[in-house]
C-alpha cells in the first residue's frame, strides 16, 4: 500500500520525481494499474449538479510547467472530474515527471482524475519519440519499462460526460456503433497492444478532423488511420446522440481550434511541444452546465 504522505509530497513538488528510484516508482505503477484495470474502455461520468465542472486536458508531452499551472487552475476551479486525453510523454524535458504526477493524482483521488490512452501511450511510439530512451537512461534496464506498458494496456479510450459530451484523444472511428460496442467492457478484458489493436481503437487514438472534406480519407499518419469530414462527423454525433466532442492530438497557432460549427473542440496543453523557440499557447477545456469552453493557460 502506497503512503498518502508520499503521494502528497510528489504532487506538491513534482520536480522531486526526478530523484526517485525505480523501487519508489513501482509503488505508483502498481497502484495505478489496479485502478485502470477496473475501469471500462468507455468511461461514463456524471455531473450531479448543473454547476459541477469538468476540466479536460490535452497533450502534455513532458511539459511539466504547463501541468503544474493546470493543477493550480484545478485547485481554483474545483471541478468534479479532470480528464487527461493522453500523450503525457515523448519529446518534452519532463516526460517521466509528468507521467508519474498524473498517476499519483489518479491514485490519490481515483474518482476525480481520469487518464485516456493517446497515440503516444504505446511502446512503439515511445521508442521513436524519446520516452523509452529517457527511461532507459535513468534506470538502465529495458525490462523495467514493462511496468509502463502495463499501464498503457489498462487505459480507457473515451470518456462520456453526461451521455452528451464525448472526450477522446484522436477522432471518430468509421464504425459509428463503436461507442455502444465498447461500453461496459473492462480494459483488462481486451488485448490492447498497439501492433494488434482493433481498428476502432486505433482510429479513436489517431484520426483527425479536416474541414472542407467529405467522408473518411486516408491519412499521412499510417495504415487504417483517417481524416474525417463534417458530414460523417455530424452523422456520428446524431447516431450517438452527442452534443460535443473534445479531442487533442494536434497543435494549432491559437492553442485550440473549433471544427464543424463549434461542435468539435481540439485542444493542446503543451506550450513547448516544438521547443522553447517556437512556443504556442497551451489550452484546456471546461465543461460547465451543458457547454464546452476553451481556455488558454496563462
Amino acid at each position: 500500500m502506497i503512503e498518502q504522505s508520499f503521494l502528497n509530497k510528489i504532487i506538491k513538488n513534482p520536480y522531486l520525481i526526478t530523484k526517485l528510484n525505480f523501487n519508489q516508482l513501482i509503488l505508483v505503477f502498481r497502484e495505478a494499474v489496479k485502478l485502470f484495470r477496473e475501469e471500462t474502455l468507455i468511461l461514463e461520468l456524471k455531473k450531479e449538479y448543473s454547476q459541477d465542472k469538468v476540466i479536460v486536458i490535452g497533450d502534455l508531452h513532458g511539459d511539466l510547467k504547463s501541468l503544474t499551472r493546470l493543477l493550480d487552475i484545478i485547485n481554483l476551479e474545483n471541478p468534479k472530474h479532470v480528464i487527461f486525453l493522453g500523450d503525457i510523454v515523448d519529446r518534452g524535458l519532463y516526460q517521466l515527471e509528468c507521467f508519474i504526477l498524473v498517476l499519483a493524482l489518479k491514485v490519490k483521488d481515483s474518482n476525480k482524475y481520469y487518464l485516456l490512452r493517446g497515440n503516444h501511450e504505446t511502446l512503439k511510439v515511445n521508442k521513436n519519440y524519446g520516452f523509452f530512451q529517457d527511461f532507459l537512461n535513468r534506470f538502465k534496464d529495458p525490462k523495467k519499462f514493462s511496468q509502463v506498458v502495463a499501464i498503457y494496456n489498462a487505459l480507457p479510450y473515451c470518456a462520456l460526460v453526461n451521455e452528451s459530451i464525448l472526450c477522446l484523444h484522436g477522432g471518430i472511428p468509421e464504425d459509428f456503433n463503436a461507442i455502444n460496442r465498447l461500453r461496459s467492457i473492462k480494459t483488462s478484458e481486451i488485448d490492447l497492444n498497439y501492433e494488434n489493436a482493433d481498428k476502432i481503437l486505433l482510429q479513436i487514438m489517431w484520426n483527425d478532423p479536416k474541414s472542407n472534406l467529405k467522408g473518411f480519407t486516408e491519412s499521412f499518419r499510417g495504415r487504417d488511420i483517417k481524416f474525417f469530414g463534417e458530414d460523417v462527423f455530424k452523422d456520428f454525433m446524431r447516431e450517438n446522440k452527442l452534443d460535443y466532442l473534445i479531442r487533442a492530438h494536434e497543435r494549432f497557432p491559437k492553442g485550440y481550434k473549433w471544427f464543424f460549427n463549434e461542435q468539435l473542440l481540439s485542444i493542446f496543453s503543451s506550450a513547448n511541444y516544438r521547443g522553447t523557440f517556437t512556443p504556442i499557447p497551451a489550452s484546456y477545456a471546461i465543461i460547465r452546465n451543458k457547454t464546452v469552453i476553451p481556455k488558454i493557460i496563462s
Side-chain angles (χ1 to χ4, degrees):
M1 189 72 179
I2 195 165
E3 293 184 3
Q4 289 296 310
S5 59
F6 171 71
L7 293 175
N8 292 336
K9 187 177 180 180
I10 60 176
I11 290 170
K12 184 177 181 180
N13 185 1
Y15 291 93
L16 293 175
I17 295 169
T18 305
K19 300 177 182 179
L20 298 181
N21 61 48
F22 186 75
N23 289 333
Q24 292 171 302
L25 295 185
I26 204 170
L27 298 174
V28 181
F29 290 145
R30 287 174 176 171
E31 289 296 321
V33 79
K34 285 190 291 186
L35 293 169
F36 291 130
R37 284 173 177 164
E38 289 302 311
E39 294 181 341
T40 53
L41 293 172
I42 308 291
L43 300 169
E44 299 188 56
L45 307 179
K46 305 289 186 182
K47 297 196 299 122
E48 296 178 15
Y49 306 102
S50 60
Q51 65 267 30
D52 286 342
K53 303 170 188 173
V54 176
I55 287 182
V56 186
I57 298 170
D59 298 41
L60 285 166
H61 290 295
D63 184 353
L64 189 55
K65 183 177 179 180
S66 290
L67 179 52
T68 53
R69 179 70 188 105
L70 281 162
L71 294 186
D72 291 338
I73 293 168
I74 289 165
N75 289 333
L76 183 66
E77 295 282 355
N78 191 28
K80 182 175 176 61
H81 300 300
V82 177
I83 303 167
F84 292 91
L85 299 181
D87 280 22
I88 308 300
V89 299
D90 283 332
R91 289 195 171 98
L93 295 176
Y94 295 97
Q95 301 170 52
L96 181 68
E97 289 79 3
C98 285
F99 188 56
I100 295 299
L101 178 52
V102 171
L103 296 183
L105 292 166
K106 177 66 177 178
V107 173
K108 180 174 167 51
D109 197 345
S110 62
N111 293 319
K112 180 173 183 175
Y113 292 94
Y114 295 91
L115 172 61
L116 306 183
R117 189 172 189 176
N119 64 302
H120 280 261
E121 275 73 49
T122 66
L123 174 60
K124 182 177 181 180
V125 174
N126 289 169
K127 284 185 172 180
N128 289 333
Y129 292 97
F131 184 45
F132 180 78
Q133 189 59 51
D134 177 59
F135 189 93
L136 196 60
N137 290 343
R138 296 179 193 234
F139 304 115
K140 311 307 177 187
D141 184 357
K143 293 180 181 178
K144 292 178 178 177
F145 201 77
S146 63
Q147 297 290 331
V148 176
V149 174
I151 295 284
Y152 293 166
N153 289 344
L155 292 176
Y157 279 73
C158 302
L160 187 58
V161 180
N162 277 18
E163 299 186 345
S164 64
I165 300 173
L166 183 64
C167 304
L168 46 71
H169 183 75
I172 64 169
E174 291 176 283
D175 182 354
F176 287 1
N177 197 38
I179 303 303
N180 289 326
R181 287 179 58 192
L182 296 174
R183 279 185 176 186
S184 303
I185 300 176
K186 285 189 176 181
T187 60
S188 57
E189 294 173 352
I190 190 169
D191 179 11
L192 304 180
N193 291 324
Y194 173 68
E195 291 81 6
N196 303 310
D198 184 275
K199 183 178 177 180
I200 291 171
L201 301 178
L202 181 76
Q203 292 185 342
I204 286 171
M205 289 192 293
W206 284 88
N207 281 5
D208 296 295
K210 196 166 187 178
S211 301
N212 304 315
L213 176 73
K214 287 189 176 182
F216 290 90
T217 63
E218 299 301 317
S219 169
F220 66 89
R221 293 186 186 272
R223 181 180 177 183
D224 289 330
I225 301 168
K226 306 292 183 180
F227 290 115
F228 58 93
E230 184 172 5
D231 57 341
V232 290
F233 172 75
K234 295 289 188 182
D235 291 344
F236 175 88
M237 299 295 279
R238 184 171 54 252
E239 181 81 16
N240 290 281
K241 299 180 173 63
L242 298 171
D243 295 327
Y244 291 98
L245 188 147
I246 306 174
R247 51 94 67 172
H249 199 39
E250 293 181 279
R251 68 195 288 265
F252 298 99
K254 189 178 176 181
Y256 64 87
K257 184 174 181 178
W258 281 108
F259 287 85
F260 310 146
N261 198 29
E262 295 198 352
Q263 200 174 5
L264 185 156
L265 177 63
S266 191
I267 58 174
F268 202 86
S269 301
S270 173
N272 61 4
Y273 181 66
R274 296 294 185 187
T276 56
F277 296 107
T278 56
I280 62 167
S283 64
Y284 65 102
I286 293 183
I287 301 171
R288 182 185 293 125
N289 297 322
K290 295 182 178 180
T291 61
V292 172
I293 305 165
K295 296 280 189 177
I296 294 297
I297 303 171
S298 59

